[in-house]
Amino acid sequence: MSVRAGIVITGTEVLTGRVRDLNGPWLADQLLELGVELAHITQCGDRAEDLTAQLVFLAGQNVDLIITSGGLGPTADDLTVATVARFYGRDLVLDDALEQRIAAILRRLGAGRPGVDFDAVMAANRKQAMVPVGAQILEPVGTAPGVVLYSEHQPTVVVLPGPPRELQPMWSTAVATDGVQRAIAGRTRYLQRTVRMFGLPESGLAETLREAQFQVAGFDNLEITTCLRRGELEIVTRYEPDAADSYTALVELLRERYPRELFSEDGSLIDDQVAGALAGRTIATAESCTAGLLAARLADRAGSSAYLAGGVVSYSNEAKIELLGVDEALIAQHGAVSEPVARAMAEGALARFGADTAVGITGIAGPGGGSEQKPVGTVCFGLAVAGSDTVARTLHLPGDRSDVRERSTTVAMHLLREHLGSTQLP
Amino acid sequence: MSVRAGIVITGTEVLTGRVRDLNGPWLADQLLELGVELAHITQCGDRAEDLTAQLVFLAGQNVDLIITSGGLGPTADDLTVATVARFYGRDLVLDDALEQRIAAILRRLGAGRPGVDFDAVMAANRKQAMVPVGAQILEPVGTAPGVVLYSEHQPTVVVLPGPPRELQPMWSTAVATDGVQRAIAGRTRYLQRTVRMFGLPESGLAETLREAQFQVAGFDNLEITTCLRRGELEIVTRYEPDAADSYTALVELLRERYPRELFSEDGSLIDDQVAGALAGRTIATAESCTAGLLAARLADRAGSSAYLAGGVVSYSNEAKIELLGVDEALIAQHGAVSEPVARAMAEGALARFGADTAVGITGIAGPGGGSEQKPVGTVCFGLAVAGSDTVARTLHLPGDRSDVRERSTTVAMHLLREHLGSTQLP
């Protein structure tokens, strides 16, 4: 038996895409951890009839729990509590004690702010103290209280405010309420594991998964989703604890079939692995087509200053020659996009920054600049590691300018992982 | 009479929040521009029954148009076309000619890639050539074709692939089809204009818009949404053509009130404006906390090699000294995050790259490294222009590490626009 939930995100600014919704993904994650299956997320604007339609839809989908976010403010277009109450068949009543608590919060917030008409603010906020009969109140983190509605014959509804910094702590409070606990009592605890691969096409994996149906006992107990992200294949599997052997068998099959391509079984990202491999090292970059994206990606994580010395963006040939010491003749002979130049860029960065590891990237991101021999998407990589021979590789990457540039940083990360994993510091 | 639409975003990876949905907001924007009212966005995982439930729900909401995104790949969990066909009461048939066209695309993509079993790939991709009877095919931009389904008695359904770079051009094709044109025939035509500002708080703008209610005749005919994006305020106004005078009056008010802050009335981005200002110039960057993000942003657009010479990512102090020629004593005296160092970095980049324009950025992105005098978010900028005095500026930027770094590139872009706009080439 499994417990299903639906999430309703309200707000015209979210529906129209002006404001990015952060609550749907966050709540999805929380439900997953709880072992509650998320069936639907719906978004609507600040219109009572559309919100009602979504609530009716979700209730008809046999969900046990509905969570709404947004529409709890003091203005006229904030209508979630009233709409949910009507849907639930409950009247709204003013909760005097709650009104006093909201007033206290507003007084504290307004303190020392000049020109605020406190009576007008309170009148506008009185509506936030109107709660459905019998609802459990979630104390405000900002100024808006949430509510939990429970009945035997309808899904439990949790009404939360839109701002994530209010919604998140209030969700924790909501989970502990009777209404939510009863709704999720029958939940199944699932495990979720992620495998990541690099360097194979999605269709190849699809073929392997079709074969796995016959080779992995209990394959049907695994809920597998695959997706291509930043040039990597991500395979997420969800299963009940007693299907653990099937999952182990699946991973063994993947490991056997893709010994080079499978790089992560424990949820770690390539960025985590490279950060680990760089511990105790110093890295520098020399970038042409990626123009700083690799350095920026390495610097994404806090603490990267321990190993990132810096980099050169050598967009022009002069910069390659002057700043990285690439031999002009090398460029003339092989072209700026060539393995010898990528190698020389990496070695130049190694020397200039006094690093022990360096990556050079030079390529044609497009849309212009391609030729028959070197079409758009041709990217050359060089990896220089102190005490080892410098290696070079050429790839033809698909997609537009921005795809080619981003994909190039992923390739560079994998080049680092492969070589640093097996190379000892001198 | 208004035309209403619903959007269905499919994919377990999106529903569970592992991949951020970019298509909902993008399509919402497109519909807005077309004059079609968006009523609902729904998200579901890769489960046929949930997708069917959402299609039935939307059809019951009297929408004229349903757009789906995702689930068109070759793997078993890609089931949108088959599910939509069943919902629409249409059989699937193999389109031989389409299969040949997909094969040609796959052959081109696979060319030169060793170890790819082409027959296996083709078998996996055959299912992408299965289309509902009577559907209009949208030619693939990647490998997945889309379809448009039209009938007199049901909403038109447009089925698009999930990757935004495929979905976006295919949507343009879809809009031109008979099926979509018939669905949206009764729409109201709106105009939509965007004004962008930088350097004022959202609450200040809200106050001005409240005043505008009394000062702008016909203000209520303007549908205004504001949002803060990448540190800039974006004010999008939608109106029917006969409210054009009200819009003109609103823009005049904003221009008068914010002569410095308002930088775009014609939809242009700061990146467009900086690219324009850099024509005939050569720019170099010297980046510490942003670690290449500014160079990468300048290189985002095709043709940027005409003015971008390159940059130095000087993450370590040694790099600032060795590669940019920053005086060691300057760092010792003022600290690496200081206006004198930002200035010296810009001047160093100007000299090293032989550029006529250079930006230096040094700051504390956090989470560590802050102090009482220089808290996290403190960022110093230097702008060196040949023939002018180098300028410096210090800002305190809000947000986390990634916010501070990204916001810093926006500040640098505005610094460039302001100064290059008024500075003639020597």
Side-chain angles (χ1 to χ4, degrees), chain A residues 4 15-20 24-25 28-29 32 37-45 47 49-51 53-54 57 61 192 200-203 206-207 210 223-227 229 234 236 238 289-293 295-297 299-305 308-316 319 322-323 352-353 366-367 398-401 403 405, chain B residues 4 12-13 15-20 24-25 28-29 32 37-47 49-50 53-54 57 61 74-77 109 113 116 120-121 123-125 165 192 225-227 229 234 236 290-293 295-297 299-305 308-316 319 322-323 352-353 366-367 401 405:
Chain A
R4 277 161 57 98
L15 182 72
T16 56
R18 304 254 156 265
V19 169
R20 175 178 160 200
D29 221 43
L32 195 78
E37 187 173 353
L38 173 59
H40 303 274
I41 296 180
T42 63
Q43 302 185 344
C44 63
R47 275 189 296 246
E49 61 270 43
D50 290 342
L51 174 53
Q54 296 192 346
F57 164 66
Q61 295 301 306
Q192 180 172 302
L200 79 164
E202 198 172 5
S203 55
E207 186 62 28
R210 264 191 295 274
E223 190 186 317
I224 301 171
T225 52
T226 65
C227 99
R229 182 146 63 167
E234 200 175 83
V236 178
R238 199 168 80 123
C289 62
T290 49
L293 287 179
R297 185 166 173 177
D300 264 352
R301 52 189 60 215
S304 50
S305 55
L308 177 61
V312 167
V313 176
S314 55
Y315 222 55
S316 63
E322 295 295 323
L323 274 102
R352 293 296 162 104
F353 286 91
D400 65 14
R401 179 177 179 84
D403 294 332
R405 295 172 70 215
Chain B
R4 275 161 59 99
T12 301
E13 72 283 6
L15 183 72
T16 55
R18 271 184 291 117
V19 169
R20 175 179 158 199
D29 221 42
L32 195 77
E37 187 174 353
L38 174 59
H40 303 275
I41 297 181
T42 64
Q43 303 185 344
C44 63
D46 300 312
R47 276 189 295 246
E49 60 270 42
D50 290 342
Q54 296 193 346
F57 164 65
Q61 294 302 307
T75 59
D77 59 359
L109 286 178
R113 207 188 271 182
V116 173
V121 169
N125 286 271
R165 64 167 212 90
Q192 181 173 302
T225 51
T226 65
C227 101
R229 184 139 66 166
E234 203 175 81
V236 178
T290 50
L293 287 179
R297 185 167 174 177
D300 264 351
R301 52 191 58 215
S304 51
S305 55
L308 177 60
V312 167
V313 176
S314 54
Y315 221 55
S316 63
E322 295 296 322
L323 275 102
R352 292 298 163 104
F353 287 91
R401 180 176 177 84
R405 295 172 70 215

Side-chain angles (χ1 to χ4, degrees), chain A residues 245-274:
Chain A
D245 288 348
S246 304
Y247 183 69
T248 305
L250 172 68
V251 174
E252 265 164 27
L253 178 73
L254 293 174
R255 208 187 284 137
E256 193 186 292
R257 197 68 63 90
Y258 304 106
R260 277 175 60 89
E261 290 84 357
L262 194 159
F263 69 91
S264 169
E265 296 179 18
D266 61 356
S268 63
L269 299 167
I270 185 65
D271 302 71
D272 300 318
Q273 298 184 0
V274 168

Side-chain angles (χ1 to χ4, degrees), chain A residues 49-261:
Chain A
E49 61 270 43
D50 290 342
L51 174 53
T52 303
Q54 296 192 346
L55 293 168
V56 170
F57 164 66
L58 290 174
Q61 295 301 306
N62 293 319
V63 299
D64 306 278
L65 179 64
I66 297 174
I67 307 162
T68 74
S69 116
L72 305 191
T75 61
D77 59 359
D78 293 307
L79 37 75
T80 304
V81 173
T83 307
V84 168
R86 206 172 314 118
F87 160 74
Y88 226 74
R90 302 268 177 99
D91 287 329
L92 286 182
V93 283
L94 179 66
D95 184 319
D96 292 317
L98 179 59
E99 188 183 10
Q100 291 312 313
R101 295 200 294 279
I102 297 174
I105 295 170
L106 289 169
R107 216 167 273 125
R108 208 170 57 232
L109 287 177
R113 205 188 273 180
V116 173
D117 176 353
F118 193 73
D119 288 339
V121 169
M122 266 317 294
N125 285 271
R126 174 153 309 136
K127 110 183 225 295
Q128 297 183 301
M130 300 290 293
V131 293
V133 172
Q136 199 153 346
I137 293 168
L138 303 170
E139 285 301 311
V141 169
T143 65
V147 293
V148 178
L149 284 164
Y150 170 76
S151 89
E152 294 263 320
H153 313 291
Q154 294 179 85
T156 294
V157 180
V158 178
V159 176
L160 298 171
R165 61 163 218 91
E166 299 179 27
L167 174 137
Q168 295 180 8
M170 287 168 75
W171 167 248
S172 306
T173 310
V175 169
T177 61
D178 270 8
V180 174
Q181 283 299 319
R182 285 182 202 198
I184 68 175
R187 69 193 186 276
T188 314
R189 299 210 171 252
Y190 287 101
L191 297 172
Q192 180 172 302
R193 297 283 179 273
T194 303
V195 163
R196 294 194 171 86
M197 304 214 250
F198 178 72
L200 79 164
E202 198 172 5
S203 55
L205 176 66
E207 186 62 28
T208 301
L209 290 177
R210 264 191 295 274
E211 291 169 32
Q213 276 182 282
F214 306 103
Q215 296 180 24
V216 171
F219 180 85
D220 289 345
N221 299 322
L222 305 175
E223 190 186 317
I224 301 171
T225 52
T226 65
C227 99
L228 195 63
R229 182 146 63 167
R230 268 185 146 182
E232 297 170 351
L233 266 178
E234 200 175 83
I235 303 137
V236 178
T237 309
R238 199 168 80 123
Y239 54 95
E240 295 183 31
D242 59 10
D245 288 348
S246 304
Y247 183 69
T248 305
L250 172 68
V251 174
E252 265 164 27
L253 178 73
L254 293 174
R255 208 187 284 137
E256 193 186 292
R257 197 68 63 90
Y258 304 106
R260 277 175 60 89
E261 290 84 357

